[in-house]
Amino acid sequence: MLKKATSMLVTLTLLFGLLISAAWAGPEKLAEDKKPALETSAEAAILLDYHSGQVMFSKNADKRLPMASVTKLMTMLLACEAEAKGEVKLNDVITASEHAAGMGGSQIYLEPGEEFTFQEMMIAIATGSANDASVAVAEHIAGSEEAFVQMMNDKAEELGLNNTHFTNPTGLPAENHYTSAADMAVILREALKYPLFRKVSGIYEYDLRDGEFKLWNTNKLLKWYRGCDAGKTGWTSEAKYCLAASAERDNLRLISVVLGCPQPKTHFQETIKLFNFGFARYQAVVLAKKAEKIKTAAVEKGMVDSIDVVTAEQVSVVVPRGGDKDIKGKIKLTPRLVAPVEKGQVVGEYTVVKDGKELKKVNLVAAAGVAKASPFRLMGKVMNKVYSMNK
């Protein structure tokens, strides 16, 4: 009887042990099968911080895919660069060629010989995704569409984009015309540097031809998502639904790119999902704005004795929410600054550190130029100094 009781006790103990083991095995398996923090139906996607370029989420970010009208971000980038250099002016009149007027797809139905200002053409590209306006601007800047496409590919190479190649400035289906989510994020990030791009990209509606032709921005997030102020949509049967967009909240500007979204409106839904993820989990810590005065530096042998030192770009870092403690800035200036000094000349650096670790480094530059003083002026300074000492 005692043996039976002992045997039953051992069996029960073993069974209980197995149950305990099974109970603890559950969480371990769940941990292995744990889903990623964010899922997207886009074939490729990326989310990053505008100022630092820090990537917060990516999926197939380097995969080469068709991009449809998101192509026009590069078209607008080159146009904005040309305007910034003074090569083209906002009120320049652009005359539509027969070739430009013959573009299909999204358009403003240009007639050969029809004229619009450069600014109106840019609005038509950004707001109405107009293929005919894109080609007209390309021809105006480069002389021909082919020459402009070469400029597009040269710019892609300059930006280090290894997974991008352009065949046209519109995004109409063509062989050897592709990009990646990561590359397109770089293009949008570059375009955002230009006030003209931000202006035209943020227009939601516009009256063309004295109100006879209404343009509505294809980027509906300008109305649907708080903080969204720039971007470009795209769709073809090959590329599916695409969107590159930017939004800013509480000094945190995000860039999102989604390519190959399967259904109508999913490019908006997936972009909102990415933006919500970024704004919920991260925060920007801004130590200084772009061109903010940081110090006054002494200048030797110059027409003036000192100069304002400003930041070359915004000094900010992105950290997980709640991780903004103990972030500090360290300023280091050039030991001796001798005239002549050029405006924008690097004269120091602003380093952001946390717990002794460097997070970011930004150049400090001269806010204005300082000419070298003449020998007579230098002699006068010496005399004034001697006089002051003997006073």
Side-chain angles (χ1 to χ4, degrees):
M1 187 74 180
L2 183 60
K3 285 184 178 181
K4 276 188 175 182
T6 303
S7 178
M8 286 180 67
L9 183 61
V10 170
T11 302
L12 287 171
T13 302
L14 287 171
L15 284 171
F16 184 73
L18 287 171
L19 287 171
I20 292 294
S21 298
W24 282 106
E28 287 182 7
K29 191 171 188 303
L30 285 174
E32 290 174 3
D33 298 339
K34 187 177 179 182
K35 293 181 179 179
L38 179 65
E39 293 183 333
T40 176
S41 62
E43 190 169 351
I46 194 166
L47 178 72
L48 54 85
D49 167 54
Y50 165 71
H51 290 288
S52 68
Q54 177 184 335
V55 176
M56 301 168 178
F57 172 82
S58 68
K59 173 187 175 182
N60 299 329
D62 295 320
K63 185 176 182 179
R64 295 180 175 182
L65 292 168
M67 59 188 125
S69 282
V70 179
T71 297
K72 295 182 177 81
L73 285 176
M74 179 61 94
T75 302
M76 289 188 284
L77 168 58
L78 292 179
C80 289
E81 282 187 349
E83 191 272 336
K85 293 175 182 176
E87 297 170 357
V88 61
K89 295 181 173 57
L90 294 179
N91 59 358
D92 281 357
V93 175
I94 296 179
T95 304
S97 68
E98 188 172 345
H99 174 62
M103 291 295 111
S106 302
Q107 56 186 303
I108 55 172
Y109 302 97
L110 288 171
E111 293 288 340
E114 188 173 9
E115 296 179 342
F116 286 102
T117 65
F118 171 71
Q119 179 171 264
E120 288 174 319
M121 288 287 195
M122 287 291 287
I123 293 171
I125 297 169
T127 306
S129 194
N131 295 323
D132 46 4
S134 297
V135 174
V137 166
E139 291 176 334
H140 185 78
I141 291 174
S144 71
E145 182 181 3
E146 294 76 13
F148 189 82
V149 170
Q150 184 60 55
M151 290 173 61
M152 297 172 77
N153 287 315
D154 288 345
K155 187 65 178 180
E157 184 178 352
E158 177 190 323
L159 294 173
L161 310 184
N162 298 318
N163 296 304
T164 296
H165 188 270
F166 297 100
T167 306
N168 58 56
T170 61
L172 287 168
E175 288 186 17
N176 208 28
H177 190 88
Y178 57 82
T179 192
S180 68
D183 282 3
M184 190 50 67
V186 173
I187 295 171
L188 176 53
R189 189 180 178 202
E190 192 73 15
L192 284 165
K193 294 178 181 178
Y194 295 91
L196 175 59
F197 173 78
R198 294 199 185 199
K199 178 183 177 180
V200 298
S201 185
I203 295 173
Y204 189 73
E205 59 179 283
Y206 188 80
D207 290 327
L208 205 61
R209 298 187 177 99
D210 297 322
E212 294 180 7
F213 194 88
K214 188 83 167 180
L215 292 174
W216 297 94
N217 203 310
T218 54
N219 179 15
K220 303 306 177 186
L221 293 193
L222 294 174
K223 287 289 185 182
W224 294 355
Y225 195 83
R226 180 172 61 86
C228 184
D229 56 4
K232 187 72 197 72
T233 61
W235 177 86
T236 62
S237 57
E238 181 188 22
K240 301 178 184 177
Y241 293 88
C242 308
L243 174 60
S246 181
E248 184 174 31
R249 293 181 181 178
D250 301 323
N251 292 315
L252 176 60
R253 176 172 287 280
L254 302 179
I255 288 176
S256 164
V257 179
V258 292
L259 302 176
C261 294
Q263 301 295 330
K265 296 185 179 180
T266 52
H267 53 326
F268 298 130
Q269 295 164 3
E270 297 308 296
T271 299
I272 288 173
K273 189 186 295 184
L274 288 171
F275 280 153
N276 284 344
F277 176 85
F279 287 126
R281 296 170 68 100
Y282 295 92
Q283 68 180 100
V285 181
V286 181
L287 283 76
K289 294 285 188 179
K290 182 179 179 179
E292 182 176 326
K293 179 182 174 181
I294 302 300
K295 288 271 189 179
T296 299
V299 179
E300 299 178 19
K301 301 180 181 180
M303 293 295 290
V304 294
D305 295 328
S306 63
I307 193 171
D308 288 343
V309 175
V310 301
T311 51
E313 59 183 273
Q314 179 168 296
V315 184
S316 63
V317 292
V318 175
V319 296
R321 286 205 169 271
D324 55 339
K325 296 178 181 178
D326 301 320
I327 292 178
K328 299 176 182 178
K330 291 184 177 180
I331 297 164
K332 182 180 179 181
L333 297 180
T334 302
R336 288 184 66 216
L337 200 55
V338 182
V341 177
E342 294 183 5
K343 181 180 179 180
Q345 180 178 321
V346 177
V347 296
E349 57 190 26
Y350 195 130
T351 306
V352 183
V353 296
K354 179 176 181 178
D355 300 326
K357 181 181 178 182
E358 181 181 310
L359 302 180
K360 187 173 183 177
K361 187 177 288 184
V362 172
N363 285 334
L364 295 175
V365 298
V370 179
K372 186 175 182 179
S374 66
F376 295 105
R377 186 176 179 85
L378 291 174
M379 188 180 297
K381 282 186 176 183
V382 172
M383 295 294 290
N384 286 335
K385 190 173 182 179
V386 171
Y387 176 76
S388 298
M389 292 174 64
N390 296 328
K391 213 175 168 185

